[in-house]
Amino acid sequence: MLFTAFFKVRGDSSTINERSILRAQYSLPEDLSPVTEYWFHTTDPTLPHVAATFEADSAEPIFALLADWDAHFHITVVPTTTAEEGLKAIEQTMQAGQEQA
């Protein structure tokens, strides 16, 4: 299943240089397969600074990711679908609705 994690910097927990060094040395927990990772160039503290999408079959590697970065970021993880998957689901729902009418 796909998940996207949004990372918002925790106040003055660390500097961008410290986080950059940690990220350069970091490997995702086993059983998390990376799909995308985007770094947002913003100084707005209300916005996420990183969005990473990955695949996972269970919650354990997600908990490990949260533990690894919790000191530096507020992290929100949400289930995700691709646009292609979402459009297919909409089409199937519409077809099912037409068949019931």
Side-chain angles (χ1 to χ4, degrees), residues 29 42 45 50 52-53 62 64 81:
T42 180
V50 176
T53 300
I62 296 170
T81 60

Side-chain angles (χ1 to χ4, degrees), residues 4-77:
T4 299
F6 297 95
F7 296 77
K8 192 163 71 169
V9 172
R10 281 190 184 276
D12 60 355
S13 63
S14 58
T15 67
I16 191 167
N17 286 341
E18 291 168 329
R19 291 188 304 273
S20 296
I21 290 168
L22 289 170
R23 177 59 189 97
Q25 298 170 349
Y26 184 74
S27 296
L28 282 172
E30 195 172 312
D31 297 329
L32 274 188
S33 300
V35 176
T36 62
E37 182 173 336
Y38 295 98
W39 300 2
F40 305 121
H41 301 277
T42 180
T43 56
D44 185 338
T46 66
L47 296 175
H49 289 78
V50 176
T53 300
F54 47 85
E55 290 185 64
D57 292 329
S58 68
E60 288 80 10
I62 296 170
F63 291 137
L65 175 79
L66 295 173
D68 291 343
W69 289 100
D70 186 56
H72 305 281
F73 294 97
H74 295 284
I75 306 167
T76 302
V77 179

